[in-house]
Amino acid sequence: MKILKSILRLIVSVLVFVSLFYLSFLVAPYLLTSEKYVGEQGVSKFFPVAQKVNNSYSVIQWEEYKNREDVYLVDEEELVTRLINNERIELEKSKDGLINLTYYADNYTFWSGYYIVNGKVEPVYFRFVGAFIVIPVFGVVLIIYLFGRLFYARYVARKRMQSM
């Protein structure tokens, strides 16, 4: 019976760890960094835009894009390509013309959505994830979990004492 309880406790611990990991790496960055735009007001300087220069693709961030006139924007239906420095972009254009760009750079992933109207970018949404977000969130969630276990153990011990 003790072995069964130990195995069950181990399985629950692994499930809790996987849940916390999932929450930290997938859900939290989406909630913490997600931005929606109406117009060009308040667009993040990291907002990526796909461009084509001399038959090669690259990504330009909003801060640089808004100060340049000579940007040839990528307006393809679908594109998956590697860039220099082991970076990668995935671009997909929806039926209504929304361009969904996923930009993988080092340990960061950026997602942006925009329309190209009259040769200009109209930002719609932006989100990103990186270690600087994930690690602190995972630490906070882990601390909350440990405090929860501590308080639950005290609660169970108190209940046992009351039932005696």
Side-chain angles (χ1 to χ4, degrees):
M1 192 67 166
K2 273 188 167 183
I3 294 174
L4 187 61
K5 281 185 178 181
S6 296
I7 291 172
L8 188 61
R9 193 172 293 148
L10 178 66
I11 290 172
V12 168
S13 295
V14 168
L15 286 175
V16 167
F17 178 79
V18 168
S19 299
L20 294 176
F21 190 82
Y22 179 80
L23 180 71
S24 299
F25 281 80
L26 298 176
V27 176
Y30 181 80
L31 296 174
L32 295 174
T33 66
S34 185
E35 298 178 5
K36 293 192 184 287
Y37 304 115
V38 177
E40 295 181 11
Q41 207 67 0
V43 177
S44 171
K45 67 181 181 177
F46 300 113
F47 185 91
V49 176
Q51 69 173 351
K52 190 172 186 177
V53 180
N54 300 330
N55 290 333
S56 66
Y57 299 97
S58 66
V59 171
I60 185 171
Q61 292 181 332
W62 186 258
E63 194 70 25
E64 187 179 350
Y65 166 77
K66 70 179 184 177
N67 295 322
R68 289 184 41 195
E69 296 288 328
D70 62 339
V71 177
Y72 180 73
L73 300 170
V74 177
D75 192 18
E76 298 179 20
E77 295 297 318
E78 194 170 314
L79 172 71
V80 176
T81 187
R82 285 219 176 274
L83 307 175
I84 58 171
N85 298 331
N86 204 26
E87 297 176 354
R88 184 170 53 110
I89 60 172
E90 294 176 4
L91 186 130
E92 186 178 311
K93 188 174 182 181
S94 66
K95 291 180 182 178
D96 68 346
L98 178 68
I99 295 174
N100 298 296
L101 174 66
T102 306
Y103 172 46
Y104 302 94
D106 295 325
N107 295 327
Y108 305 97
T109 303
F110 300 90
W111 295 272
S112 64
Y114 54 89
Y115 292 102
I116 298 176
V117 179
N118 298 327
K120 294 285 185 185
V121 171
E122 288 187 10
V124 176
Y125 70 87
F126 174 63
R127 175 169 55 100
F128 64 96
V129 65
F132 61 93
I133 292 172
V134 172
I135 292 171
V137 168
F138 186 72
V140 167
V141 170
L142 191 60
I143 289 169
I144 291 171
Y145 167 72
L146 293 174
F147 273 112
R149 277 192 69 163
L150 176 69
F151 288 122
Y152 180 73
R154 286 187 177 181
Y155 171 76
V156 169
R158 197 173 290 141
K159 282 288 192 185
R160 284 186 186 156
M161 293 295 279
Q162 289 174 355
S163 66
M164 289 183 160

